[in-house]
Amino acid sequence: MVIGVMLVALMLSTTAVQFFQAPSLNANAFNVRTTYRQYAVDRGPIVVAGENVAWSEATGHELFQFQRVYAPGELYAHLTGYFSVAQSASTGIERAEGAVLGGTADSLLLSRVQDLFTGRQPQGGSVELTIDPAVQEAIATALGDQRGAAVAIDPRTGALLGMYSSPSYDPNLLAVHQRGEADTNYEALLGAEGRPLENRATGGIQYAPGSTFKVIMSAAWLEADPERHARSEVPTLAQFPLPGSDSVIRNPAGQACGVSDTGELIYAFRNSCNTTFAEMAIELGYENVHAMTEALGFSSDLTVPLPVQNSAYPPVDGDAELAMTGIGQLNVRTSVLQNALVAAAVANDGVLMRPYLVATERDADLSVIREASPSELSQPFSEQTAETLTEMMVSVVNEGTGQPAQLAGVQIAAKTGTAESGTDAPQHAWMIAFAPAEDPQVAVALVLEHGGALGTDAYGGSAAGPLVRDIIRAAVQ
């Protein structure tokens, strides 16, 4: 009887420790076994177009059995992120898909049970991304050493074809086993010029959208009256005094917008007339413009599964501020991904698909455990409005400010933007686009922070246009 009681007590004690106390014990900062366990797991690869861009290699060390490797590291750094046991930190897909890569996801339970009975070394699952390596390389080449970011997306599905933030960094610097070396490298990157650890594509740094916001303004204006179209008459003043203010809004280079005080919407859009869209914002009112930004995802959860910072169209104080938002200035801020979604909604006949980065999750035996299924995020405007916006964006490339983006044999639709930074630094140069205009396969947004290499001489068309053209060329080949 005594032995029986002892066995029951042992069973209860062991169950309490191994089951009920397990979560708190595993999370305990002093439990070095948790750290060692992570080193002992053959973490699964991150895959792009059938090629590993992150994987684990055996080290032969008793404790640190596997070393995480990233190649080509900088090209995919802001997508893969890094996995650093030395710092107990992870970012990017390494963090968002950590359970799958580390083999602890619920979907991998069967694999873990099989490993238990076969004695096989535990392995993590693999994560396949939607990225097209040709598009990713084209973005990285286009940006070069310039600060900025670009996103390319398939407007029909929401699959991300390319996402790159410049400057980038080498994740291998943070995946080292030595804590001191990892900390030194992290501090160096944290203090590096250009903030390479920030993902500018997903909103780690956001920008005023400038004249690219005129796509949103035009969508709201067209939706307000189904009788409106590309050749509807709109104000095209040379300058517009802000109500209740001594300030005046002028057009690019201070030039007049047309030969009279009114003109066609397509003309004002093609030539990026600031006065037109400043007046349009006041005519529409804050609520109508705000509603269109919300429909396009400004406040939506856009996790891809990388976290995406919400874009902002904040409340305004009076018509003067409202007019400034009509040209994408004041406190309007957007991520590059969000601006790519604006172009994608136009390209997809007014239907905005939810963006995603992970195509497939597999177990260690390469069996599919989850596959992405495209889904609709919203329908911000009608197919008729999308057709009108497409017509106007085509005219921007063929006759207007976006002519530097022209590509032989491919009709590109685009909108340029030159956004004041709110500081003494040069303006930001933007372009959002999609192609081919008649059968869109890719939508792109690109920003050059403070004009990139051109600095104060940078404009959306001249600076960003040729780069977007090269990205689209890679996507449609």
Side-chain angles (χ1 to χ4, degrees):
M1 290 177 63
V2 171
I3 292 174
V5 171
M6 292 173 65
L7 288 173
V8 170
L10 179 60
M11 180 181 68
L12 293 174
S13 175
T14 304
T15 300
V17 171
Q18 295 189 353
F19 184 78
F20 294 107
Q21 297 180 35
S24 61
L25 291 172
N26 283 329
N28 193 305
F30 295 100
N31 185 1
V32 295
R33 292 178 182 271
T34 301
T35 302
Y36 293 154
R37 186 187 305 123
Q38 294 182 70
Y39 279 120
V41 171
D42 186 0
R43 196 172 174 84
I46 301 173
V47 183
V48 171
E51 298 292 332
N52 293 347
V53 297
W55 67 92
S56 294
E57 289 186 352
T59 64
H61 194 281
E62 182 179 357
L63 293 178
F64 311 128
Q65 297 179 26
F66 294 96
Q67 171 70 55
R68 205 65 172 152
V69 178
Y70 303 90
E74 293 192 8
L75 182 61
Y76 296 102
H78 291 101
L79 302 180
T80 62
Y82 60 85
F83 178 75
S84 174
V85 180
Q87 291 188 306
S88 298
S90 58
T91 62
I93 289 296
E94 290 279 22
R95 181 183 181 89
E97 293 287 320
V100 173
L101 295 170
T104 61
D106 292 342
S107 56
L108 296 174
L109 177 61
L110 181 59
S111 295
R112 294 199 297 275
V113 172
Q114 290 175 341
D115 292 343
L116 182 65
F117 283 100
T118 62
R120 183 178 63 177
Q121 172 70 35
Q123 289 181 281
S126 61
V127 174
E128 299 174 355
L129 305 185
T130 58
I131 297 298
D132 181 334
V135 175
Q136 187 75 0
E137 289 170 9
I139 295 175
T141 300
L143 289 172
D145 295 331
Q146 302 173 101
R147 297 183 194 177
V151 171
I153 188 171
D154 186 336
R156 302 162 296 186
T157 64
L160 291 168
L161 304 176
M163 177 187 285
Y164 185 80
S165 177
S166 177
S168 187
Y169 68 98
D170 183 0
N172 293 291
L173 295 173
L174 303 173
V176 295
H177 289 160
Q178 292 74 27
R179 175 66 182 269
E181 183 180 354
D183 287 347
T184 298
N185 292 340
Y186 178 75
E187 291 299 325
L189 288 171
L190 198 61
E193 186 177 358
R195 298 162 64 181
L197 292 177
E198 295 283 2
N199 188 348
R200 287 166 163 82
T202 56
I205 298 175
Q206 294 192 334
Y207 306 92
S211 291
T212 62
F213 195 74
K214 292 169 184 174
V215 176
I216 298 177
M217 290 298 307
S218 297
W221 191 78
L222 290 166
E223 285 289 294
D225 184 349
E227 298 300 318
R228 290 171 175 168
H229 49 80
R231 284 165 178 79
S232 295
E233 288 288 309
V234 293
T236 54
L237 299 173
Q239 59 183 30
F240 176 66
L242 289 173
S245 170
D246 294 332
S247 299
V248 175
I249 288 182
R250 295 181 174 84
N251 296 313
Q255 298 177 351
C257 195
V259 295
S260 66
D261 289 345
T262 63
E264 295 180 343
L265 173 62
I266 192 170
Y267 178 90
F269 187 90
R270 177 169 66 233
N271 294 283
S272 207
C273 302
N274 289 333
T275 59
T276 299
F277 292 91
E279 287 195 72
M280 187 181 288
I282 295 175
E283 177 188 343
L284 285 169
Y286 172 81
E287 292 301 329
N288 285 326
V289 181
H290 180 258
M292 182 57 68
T293 63
E294 292 297 285
L296 283 162
F298 268 52
S299 297
S300 299
D301 180 5
L302 299 177
T303 304
V304 292
L306 306 184
V308 179
Q309 182 77 26
N310 284 344
S311 296
Y313 184 74
V316 295
D317 184 13
D319 284 348
E321 290 191 359
L322 181 56
M324 290 296 294
T325 69
I327 58 174
Q329 295 289 170
L330 199 66
N331 294 323
V332 184
R333 292 293 182 271
T334 184
S335 67
V336 181
L337 173 59
Q338 175 63 68
N339 236 358
L341 293 181
V342 174
V346 180
N348 199 40
D349 297 328
V351 177
L352 179 58
M353 302 300 289
R354 183 175 294 279
Y356 65 96
L357 178 59
V358 174
T360 311
E361 296 172 355
R362 299 178 184 270
D363 64 17
D365 296 325
L366 300 183
S367 299
V368 175
I369 56 176
R370 191 184 75 84
E371 197 164 14
S373 178
S375 62
E376 182 180 317
L377 179 65
S378 65
Q379 185 168 357
F381 41 78
S382 67
E383 183 175 352
Q384 177 182 328
T385 293
E387 289 176 357
T388 301
L389 291 171
T390 298
E391 178 186 357
M392 297 196 300
M393 292 174 73
V394 165
S395 74
V396 168
V397 176
N398 291 349
E399 308 170 62
T401 58
Q403 293 183 60
Q406 292 178 358
L407 177 61
V410 179
Q411 179 61 69
I412 295 175
K415 182 67 188 81
T416 60
T418 306
E420 299 298 327
S421 63
T423 66
D424 293 334
Q427 65 275 11
H428 308 308
W430 275 101
M431 177 173 277
I432 63 174
F434 61 89
E438 64 279 5
D439 183 22
Q441 301 171 28
V442 62
V444 178
L446 179 143
V447 66
L448 288 175
E449 188 175 304
H450 301 308
L454 294 179
T456 55
D457 295 327
Y459 295 93
S462 60
L467 309 187
V468 170
R469 175 199 62 205
D470 292 344
I471 295 167
I472 289 176
R473 180 190 289 117
V476 301
Q477 278 182 341

